[in-house]
């Protein structure tokens, strides 16, 4: 009897541990300061959502929506893999988007999973109907008190173009003096992003390395393999800052360990 109770306890504790690791939403706050940030955008708050992979956080994504609302964002970026190619359920992900567009303007770039399932047009159409700003290798400028910054988006390379080709296409009408925020799903292409007139890059894709260990960090990332360099946090090269979301959901490997689902908040500070 004692052995049965012990086994039951271990099972329940293990399940609770896995559930907590994969459903407890955390908010990570970052600050980016620059003389290039227009004064009108001082204090501008950006929320980044990435790699939902059809995961569910409350009824119709209510927990995710309310967690984002509490951060008081000025704009929301979705940096790809909103769905999962292995269990495609677009409506489940759209529940999140339906709530997010009620909070702030939402900008979106696709990830490799949207391309892999070959339903990009369907996803774009659904998001545009909800009022999401789609950025397929293009840019949009936003204005505050007569000052502007640019939001640039590129598609995943799986769609057919290489990263530099997409950046050239997306930025062809921009001037170098414009403070630029780039949405690009893959962090492993940071070296290319940094060779372009890009101030801040928002990426996901790495899932935080899926399993995170002290000192070591993430263990594996698609596109980077074992012990990847870019899995979370801020990285700086040249004059470009890369912000990586650990993401929200899972794909091929079903569990996150020591790697809670993450909402990233970036506040701009004009020097």
């Amino acid at each position: 009897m004692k052995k049965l109770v012990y086994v039951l306890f271990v099972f329940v504790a293990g399940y609770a541990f896995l559930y907590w690791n994969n459903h407890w939403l955390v908010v990570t706050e970052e600050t980016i300061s620059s003389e290039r940030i227009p004064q009108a955008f001082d204090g501008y708050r950006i929320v980044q959502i990435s790699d939902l992979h059809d995961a569910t956080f409350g009824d119709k994504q209510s927990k995710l929506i309310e967690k984002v609302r509490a951060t008081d964002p000025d704009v929301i970026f979705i940096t790809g893999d909103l769905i999962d190619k292995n269990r495609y359920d677009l409506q489940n992900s759209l529940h999140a988007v339906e709530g997010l567009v009620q909070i702030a303007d939402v900008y979106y770039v696709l990830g490799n999973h949207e391309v892999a399932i070959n339903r990009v047009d369907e996803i774009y159409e659904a998001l545009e109907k909800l009022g999401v700003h789609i950025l397929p290798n293009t840019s949009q400028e936003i204005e505050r008190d007569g000052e502007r910054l640019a939001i640039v988006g590129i598609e995943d390379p799986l769609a057919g173009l290489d990263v530099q080709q997409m950046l050239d296409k997306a930025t062809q009408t921009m001037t170098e003096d414009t403070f630029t925020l780039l949405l690009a799903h893959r962090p492993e292409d940071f070296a290319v992003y940094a060779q372009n007139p890009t101030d801040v890059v928002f990426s996901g894709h790495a899932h935080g390395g899926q399993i995170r260990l002290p000192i070591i960090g993430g263990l594996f990332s698609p596109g980077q393999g074992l012990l990847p360099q870019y899995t979370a946090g801020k990285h700086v090269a040249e004059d470009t800052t890369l912000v990586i979301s650990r993401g929200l959901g899972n794909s091929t490997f079903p569990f996150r360990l020591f790697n809670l689902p993450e909402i990233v908040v970036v506040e701009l500070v004009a020097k």
Side-chain angles (χ1 to χ4, degrees):
M1 184 65 179
K2 286 184 178 180
K3 185 177 291 187
L4 179 61
V5 171
Y6 176 76
V7 170
L8 183 61
F9 172 79
V10 170
F11 176 80
V12 172
Y15 176 83
F17 175 75
L18 286 176
Y19 186 88
W20 176 74
N21 269 261
N22 290 271
H23 290 86
W24 189 268
L25 290 164
V26 297
V27 175
T28 299
E29 301 230 7
E30 303 279 6
T31 299
I32 292 179
S33 302
S34 173
E35 295 176 353
R36 286 175 46 78
I37 297 172
Q39 287 296 324
F41 289 89
D42 183 50
Y44 194 71
R45 290 175 64 80
I46 301 162
V47 162
Q48 181 191 9
I49 298 294
S50 196
D51 299 271
L52 182 60
H53 283 285
D54 288 324
T56 301
F57 297 92
D59 181 44
K60 294 186 177 180
Q61 308 288 4
S62 58
K63 291 182 180 180
L64 173 60
I65 293 165
E66 290 311 309
K67 199 81 169 180
V68 171
R69 190 188 306 278
T71 67
D72 192 27
D74 292 294
V75 70
I76 299 169
F77 293 165
I78 302 177
T79 51
D81 285 358
L82 186 63
I83 56 88
D84 191 278
K85 67 179 181 180
N86 302 309
R87 52 180 185 279
Y88 183 69
D89 184 356
L90 179 58
Q91 186 55 54
N92 185 50
S93 296
L94 291 180
H95 285 318
V97 180
E98 288 165 356
L100 296 177
V101 295
Q102 302 301 316
I103 300 171
D105 283 344
V106 177
Y107 290 80
Y108 166 84
V109 293
L110 54 75
N112 56 296
H113 275 248
E114 289 93 333
V115 180
I117 202 169
N118 198 28
R119 305 189 65 169
V120 170
D121 290 343
E122 176 184 349
I123 295 167
Y124 276 171
E125 182 180 359
L127 293 176
E128 286 179 327
K129 283 183 178 178
L130 293 175
V132 174
H133 301 271
I134 307 297
L135 296 171
N137 303 326
T138 188
S139 64
Q140 293 185 19
E141 288 192 348
I142 55 176
E143 183 176 334
R144 260 189 167 193
D145 299 332
E147 294 185 295
R148 294 173 177 269
L149 58 73
I151 302 175
V152 178
I154 61 171
E155 297 186 309
D156 190 84
L158 196 61
L161 297 177
D162 69 35
V163 173
Q164 189 58 58
Q165 287 175 319
M166 291 188 289
L167 286 169
D168 289 342
K169 184 177 179 181
T171 60
Q172 59 186 334
T173 62
M174 288 174 45
T175 58
E176 290 192 12
D177 61 347
T178 304
F179 188 79
T180 302
L181 307 173
L182 171 64
L183 281 62
H185 183 61
R186 297 180 185 244
E188 63 264 30
D189 293 318
F190 184 31
V192 182
Y193 307 148
Q195 291 170 3
N196 289 266
T198 301
D199 294 283
V200 187
V201 184
F202 293 83
S203 294
H205 188 54
H207 299 185
Q210 200 73 42
I211 298 170
R212 296 188 68 81
L213 298 177
I215 302 175
I216 295 174
L219 293 188
F220 179 82
S221 167
Q224 298 180 71
L226 291 173
L227 302 179
Q229 180 178 5
Y230 300 118
T231 62
K234 286 196 305 185
H235 302 261
V236 179
E238 304 297 332
D239 297 318
T240 302
T241 299
L242 172 66
V243 177
I244 307 171
S245 168
R246 297 199 312 269
L248 296 166
N250 307 307
S251 184
T252 305
F253 188 76
F255 301 113
R256 306 163 70 94
L257 294 176
F258 310 109
N259 179 23
L260 299 176
E262 180 182 48
I263 296 166
V264 175
V265 180
V266 173
E267 183 168 322
L268 303 183
V269 177
K271 288 186 177 180

